[in-house]
Amino acid sequence: MRLTALYGALFMISGAVLLTITYLLQRRAKWVVIDTSGNAREIRELLKPMKEAQLRDLLIQSGIALAIMVVISIALGWLVAGRVLRPLRTMTATIQQISARNVHERLAVTGPRDEMKDLADTVDGLLGRLETALDAHKRFVANAAHELRTPLTLERALLEETLTDREATLESYRATSERLLAISKDQARLLEALLTLASSERGLDRQEPFDLSDLARQALDSSRLEADARGVRLYAQITPAPSAGDPALAGRLIANLIDNAVHHNVPGGHVEVATETRAGRAFVWVVNSGPVISPQQVGRLFEPFQRLGGRTARSDGHHGLGLSIVRAIATAHGADITAHARPGGGLSVEISFPAPVVPGHQYPRKPDNPRPRGPRTTPAAPATSSPGQRPASNHM
């Protein structure tokens, strides 16, 4: 109705303007009188009422014609508005029927490329993204439920075995308690990882300055014991790399990268860590040796509960959430991730953080001789290089 009223009003206004212009032009028009008798003045006086009458008739007839055309334009406007809005009504009805159970349905509007087709394609794209997100959510919930159910089932089996064993001794009770404690610690790590993943995907609650080099040193110190136990050498080339965001989440990102690199390695392997600032962005690299990874598997490793070689949480204590947490934290910080499999085995991950200038914060001064891309790394004990350390032979 509003479109019809708009069409009718526009036609009435334009018709009234056209009628006014026509009337004014006719009123200003002059009659030419050719007089051969010398009574031109008298003839003009006689023709003046005739001209006024004609103008009056023109105005009345034009007004009647305008009123008739307004009625016709309203009827045509109603038909045109209905035809224009019919695709919108169809799209609205279809969208109202779409829910989580049939989110796979699409509008699939056909026809020429116009505003309606663009709108329908945009809605179809949105539905596609929602379907992908819902499928990922369902898979995540199913995997999380499986990961949580497995240790609970094992705990129950251990308790039932202990209670039904009539000949249980103090040593058997102690062994069962130790196994239950290990399972409980594994559940706590899983829940902490799930909470970190959820908080990362929610976005950042604060923006604080931090330096990736400081976070990398802390993560290297924390990973040194496990690296030594696995026979993995740590190498580092740490230079200032300031950024801003949530320092706790950024620290978890680097810690997960190093933990993943140490855990998925081979005896006698190595892990290389580097930070730097380039082109206004803060970079952190983590490169490790390890088993050969198919290039097609790299993207899948950043999905929740995905592991290499079919490992399970029950066999290695890891739940396949490390790199998915890395991706969520990087997305929350507006950082870019580049990962690729190394030909000789292992993984190379590069993350570039934005480096905004935070007022009132003094960042460490960048060295005068910045290292080029693909730096030579030095052993990470301590985390920063010092004189006398042997440079690593391989490059990042």
Side-chain angles (χ1 to χ4, degrees), residues 53 82 176 236 244 312 316:
T176 301
T312 63
D316 61 12

Side-chain angles (χ1 to χ4, degrees), residues 213-238 254-255 257-263 269 271 273 378-386 389:
S213 61
D214 297 332
L215 301 178
R217 291 187 185 96
Q218 297 172 9
L220 284 167
D221 291 339
S222 301
S223 301
R224 187 172 294 113
L225 289 178
E226 183 180 1
D228 292 341
R230 292 179 175 271
V232 176
R233 300 184 304 275
L234 296 179
Y235 298 95
Q237 181 70 32
I238 306 297
I254 298 178
L257 284 176
I258 298 177
D259 177 72
N260 182 80
V262 171
H263 186 78
V271 175
V273 182
T378 53
T384 54
S385 59
S386 59
Q389 288 182 324

